[in-house]
Amino acid sequence: MIDISESAVTKIKEMLSQEDSPDLFLRIGIKEGGCSGFSYGMGFDDEVNAGDRQLEIEGLKVVVDDDSAKYLNGLQIDFKETAMSGGFTMENPNASVTCGCGASFRTATDAGKPAEAGEC
């Protein structure tokens, strides 16, 4: 369903180790908004909800809500670091349009609800 590169898993585990709760996991989802219609969300959580899909990737617990799952099937997450910056990248095979910063998308069948101009 979702592929997370070794460098991204390493970075996420490093970030998790700095948190106070050993029960945290990575939650990935989408919401309406962003330049293109849907925005990615990625953060730590400690509560699994009804309908959540649970994955384990290289020992990392990952949870995706059922509504987001259809838009994230095949998603590839990587972490890249350069001399000037670093960050997570998302490659989504379901996206037909993405914004310039890569943080939002829309699909061929669902445009979501783009944010107002200047709210990307």
Side-chain angles (χ1 to χ4, degrees):
M1 169 186 216
I2 293 176
D3 179 48
I4 304 177
S5 72
E6 186 177 330
S7 62
V9 168
T10 299
K11 186 64 174 178
I12 294 164
K13 286 181 177 178
E14 177 185 304
M15 294 166 67
L16 275 169
S17 73
Q18 297 173 7
E19 297 293 324
D20 291 332
S21 175
D23 298 326
L24 292 176
F25 54 82
L26 179 67
R27 178 175 289 281
I28 302 171
I30 64 152
K31 63 180 181 178
E32 288 188 326
C35 302
S36 300
F38 292 109
S39 294
Y40 296 105
M42 193 166 83
F44 299 138
D45 197 352
D46 62 359
E47 192 172 313
V48 177
N49 303 313
D52 282 346
R53 298 181 187 192
Q54 299 180 53
L55 314 164
E56 187 168 316
I57 301 171
E58 294 187 42
L60 175 66
K61 183 177 178 181
V62 180
V63 175
V64 178
D65 67 272
D66 196 44
D67 291 335
S68 296
K70 65 183 174 185
Y71 298 105
L72 300 178
N73 190 34
L75 178 69
Q76 296 180 340
I77 300 173
D78 195 8
F79 183 81
K80 297 181 181 178
E81 204 155 3
T82 67
M84 297 295 287
S85 67
F88 292 97
T89 61
M90 311 278 195
E91 294 287 331
N92 189 342
N94 303 295
S96 61
V97 174
T98 59
C99 69
C101 65
S104 72
F105 70 99
R106 73 174 150 214
T107 69
T109 58
D110 200 339
K113 184 179 179 187
E116 298 295 320
E119 292 183 18
C120 185

